[in-house]
Amino acid sequence: MKIDSICCIGAGYVGGPTMAVIAQKCPNIKVTVVDLNEARIAAWNDADFDKLPVYEPGLADVVKEARGRNLFFSTDVDKAIDEAQMIFISVNTPTKTYGAGKGMAADLKYIELCARQIARIAKSDKIVVEKSTLPVRTAEAIKSILDNTGNGVNFQILSNPEFLAEGTAVQDLHNPDRVLIGGNDAEAIQSLVDVYGNWVPKERILTTNVWSSELSKLTANAFLAQRVSSINAISELCEKTEADVSEVAKAIGMDSRIGSKFLKASVGFGGSCFQKDILNLVYIAKSYGLHEVADYWEQVVIMNDHQKHRFAKNIVRTLYNTVSGKKIAMLGWAFKKDTNDTRESAAINVAQDLLNEEAKVAVYDPKVEPAQIQFDLGEQFEGVTIENNPYETCKNAHAVAILTEWDEFVTYDWQKIYDGMLKPAFVFDGRNILDKQKMKAIGFIYNAVGSSN
Ligand code: NAD
Ligand code: UDX
């Protein structure tokens, strides 16, 4: 089937950028992105491109090029399903917060709602593409719903997990390491291969069976997160032994079998995917009785929790065992640079721990809205102040903690920050982005992750 109309259910961090790039690269395909969230759709349609709901470098230009031409954002889900030949499901699949599998399994209720809606509306054959990250064998459930509740039309299910990372989404979509398409029907697979074939070289489009594709996504995230937890585990050992984790990472990363990426010690990984997907993997392993497999992967999350909490503990210990009433300036709230996303950000855990110790926390992030920080902290937000200027944020602080690796933090006038702080002035660099020698020369007591002072 040659595809000329696509619908995507879910206009979030994946649906929005992914569909914008498909529309940009395939001007002959009409792409409609739909969502129940009216405010989100309104923001995607905003005349001011600074107000798009997702901040990603380069995204506004892509949307500018395609929106209104062949890219549309709408809340009319039924109409978009009806008109499309191919429907991507890109809704959220958060960790379950209730019932069996609470705190571990993926909550598939939004996926099931989409499947039922597609079944109800579709009056012609459709290819349904799983874009959301799903537990292995979810396609089976979707197929069963579509075939048993539909109007007798044919549905083909494909798995096409998304590997983009936030902050580099547009770059990743323009030039993916690989596109993965899992399916059982050669014709349906070819239809999607042809869509990506408009800009992705053929040799980078990998086709597999559906189950391998579903499981590959969880596995890729588990491996990436495992590398971060591995280097973070070593960072704690470095702090005790005068080894320097950056030097260790460089030394091991030059081994081509290990590779240099994802070896940056940090305050802990965040983001909406790593923890959720590993916990899901753990749950699936347990459900098959594979307890050693489950324990192995769960340790990646346990290590990450430890890293976040020990960062906060180190601040308290270093500030003479009390931060009560002391101003701590936190630079960065997003879970990584170049995104406004704060889901599972380590900054949230660190702030909570410091607020529990009665610190006065001041936050500055170049892209995160104050309302989001308030949402993330709930009632604890009372103890927090937000300035829109980093120098004000750090003024009269006992310590500055760096939680996100925003480039601008490196170029600040650190002498000026030092002059405005209480003495001794402490810096806790949770991302190892500042120059230790320069910071010490200014007079800071500088603490990095994974090296002794
Ligand atoms: P998100 O929460 O940003 O967006 C999901 C959107 O789906 C929301 O706007 C929500 O309103 C909408 N939605 C939910 N149910 C709906 C329904 N029945 N009808 C219409 N709209 C509905 O989530 P996200 O970050 O875009 O992630 C989506 C999926 O992609 C998840 O499975 C995630 O694991 C996966 N993923 C995310 C990333 C990432 O970097 N964020 C990367 C790869 C894969
Ligand atoms: C991740 C996967 O990389 C991506 O392929 C998948 O589609 C979605 O999940 P994302 O969470 O957006 O992407 O960002 P990523 O770059 O993977 O970073 C995740 C977290 O790990 C961030 O908090 C980041 O700061 C941290 N990290 C990453 C480290 O602490 N050290 C590293 O070396 C790399």
Side-chain angles (χ1 to χ4, degrees):
M1 195 196 298
K2 189 174 172 308
I3 302 299
D4 53 37
S5 64
I6 285 176
C7 149
C8 173
I9 309 179
Y13 282 87
V14 168
T18 310
M19 292 302 129
V21 167
I22 290 183
Q24 180 196 28
K25 298 292 184 183
C26 313
N28 299 324
I29 300 179
K30 180 181 175 191
V31 180
T32 308
V33 192
V34 291
D35 205 296
L36 297 173
N37 183 333
E38 288 178 13
R40 217 166 206 188
I41 290 298
W44 280 114
N45 282 323
D46 205 297
D48 180 353
F49 287 91
D50 284 339
K51 299 226 171 93
L52 297 183
V54 171
Y55 171 73
E56 280 289 340
L59 179 62
D61 289 336
V62 178
V63 175
K64 232 178 249 178
E65 185 181 332
R67 198 177 71 188
R69 178 188 72 185
N70 64 324
L71 174 65
F72 303 92
F73 295 93
S74 162
T75 51
D76 194 343
V77 184
D78 286 357
K79 179 164 178 271
I81 291 174
D82 182 39
E83 289 176 359
Q85 298 157 290
M86 183 177 268
I87 301 161
F88 286 78
I89 302 181
S90 191
V91 299
N92 37 330
T93 49
T95 303
K96 262 186 98 174
T97 53
Y98 55 89
K102 179 178 172 179
M104 284 252 154
D107 191 342
L108 298 180
K109 71 178 170 205
Y110 306 110
I111 296 286
E112 174 158 352
L113 282 172
C114 289
R116 289 186 181 275
Q117 192 163 6
I118 295 168
R120 181 165 53 77
I121 300 298
K123 288 176 218 72
S124 56
D125 294 354
K126 309 275 181 202
I127 298 172
V128 176
V129 185
E130 300 174 344
K131 184 51 109 180
S132 298
T133 301
L134 297 172
V136 55
R137 297 204 75 86
T138 304
E140 203 167 34
I142 296 180
K143 177 100 180 112
S144 169
I145 291 167
L146 291 172
D147 288 347
N148 288 302
T149 57
N151 303 321
V153 299
N154 283 319
F155 292 105
Q156 291 299 335
I157 320 278
L158 298 177
S159 159
N160 172 223
E162 184 48 59
F163 294 99
L164 69 80
E166 289 180 29
T168 53
V170 172
Q171 197 180 313
D172 296 342
L173 289 163
H174 278 164
N175 191 20
D177 285 349
R178 78 323 206 166
V179 166
L180 178 58
I181 301 173
N184 301 326
D185 180 87
E187 236 177 284
I189 293 175
Q190 193 57 44
S191 304
L192 188 52
V193 168
D194 289 343
V195 172
Y196 283 106
N198 282 301
W199 80 98
V200 180
K202 289 273 181 290
E203 62 279 7
R204 281 198 239 156
I205 305 178
L206 183 66
T207 58
T208 64
N209 78 36
V210 190
W211 321 124
S212 304
S213 173
E214 288 178 336
L215 188 55
S216 295
K217 176 63 199 176
L218 294 182
T219 308
N221 274 350
F223 269 61
L224 290 168
Q226 172 261 318
R227 285 175 69 94
V228 178
S229 275
S230 294
I231 200 69
N232 281 344
I234 297 301
S235 77
E236 191 169 12
L237 193 53
C238 286
E239 288 164 26
K240 301 282 181 211
T241 56
E242 292 186 30
D244 181 323
V245 77
S246 307
E247 294 179 352
V248 173
K250 185 167 184 190
I252 65 165
M254 283 173 75
D255 185 326
S256 61
R257 294 168 303 174
I258 295 176
S260 60
K261 293 181 180 161
F262 271 72
L263 288 181
K264 276 205 195 83
S266 67
V267 54
F269 62 72
S272 64
C273 294
F274 279 178
Q275 175 171 304
K276 159 176 86 73
D277 292 347
I278 293 178
L279 292 176
N280 186 8
L281 191 65
V282 169
Y283 181 76
I284 294 167
K286 277 191 182 155
S287 70
Y288 286 105
L290 309 180
H291 297 291
E292 291 78 5
V293 176
D295 291 348
Y296 176 78
W297 286 110
E298 191 165 14
Q299 195 60 35
V300 173
V301 175
I302 293 171
M303 186 64 224
N304 194 52
D305 284 338
H306 172 65
Q307 188 77 352
K308 293 188 279 192
H309 290 302
R310 89 180 179 85
F311 184 81
K313 267 193 203 144
N314 185 35
I315 295 178
V316 178
R317 193 176 49 239
T318 310
L319 295 186
Y320 315 107
N321 289 310
T322 178
V323 290
S324 180
K326 292 181 182 170
K327 180 176 178 184
I328 314 281
M330 291 180 56
L331 295 183
W333 193 259
F335 80 96
K336 64 185 285 197
K337 73 171 179 178
D338 293 339
T339 177
N340 60 346
D341 195 348
T342 68
R343 290 178 288 181
E344 303 296 338
S345 178
I348 302 172
N349 300 78
V350 171
Q352 285 168 338
D353 286 359
L354 293 174
L355 289 164
N356 285 339
E357 292 288 339
E358 300 185 344
K360 290 185 179 148
V361 171
V363 183
Y364 172 78
D365 187 286
K367 284 287 172 208
V368 177
E369 300 286 341
Q372 182 62 46
I373 299 172
Q374 184 167 9
F375 174 84
D376 291 338
L377 287 174
E379 284 177 4
Q380 275 192 307
F381 184 70
E382 254 177 56
V384 174
T385 54
I386 297 177
E387 312 274 356
N388 60 5
N389 170 331
Y391 298 98
E392 282 303 314
T393 306
C394 298
K395 205 169 194 168
N396 294 324
H398 289 257
V400 174
I402 296 177
L403 279 303
T404 312
E405 73 282 23
W406 286 101
D407 290 338
E408 65 173 60
F409 296 168
V410 181
T411 59
Y412 287 169
D413 182 345
W414 282 96
Q415 180 69 53
K416 183 173 162 187
I417 291 177
Y418 177 80
D419 292 343
M421 286 175 66
L422 299 184
K423 307 295 177 321
F426 296 89
V427 167
F428 297 87
D429 187 348
R431 297 290 184 164
N432 292 348
I433 53 172
L434 299 176
D435 184 321
K436 188 184 211 161
Q437 298 315 329
K438 276 190 198 155
M439 295 300 282
K440 283 184 159 183
I442 291 173
F444 284 109
I445 300 180
Y446 176 77
N447 286 261
V449 173
S451 63
S452 37
N453 295 341

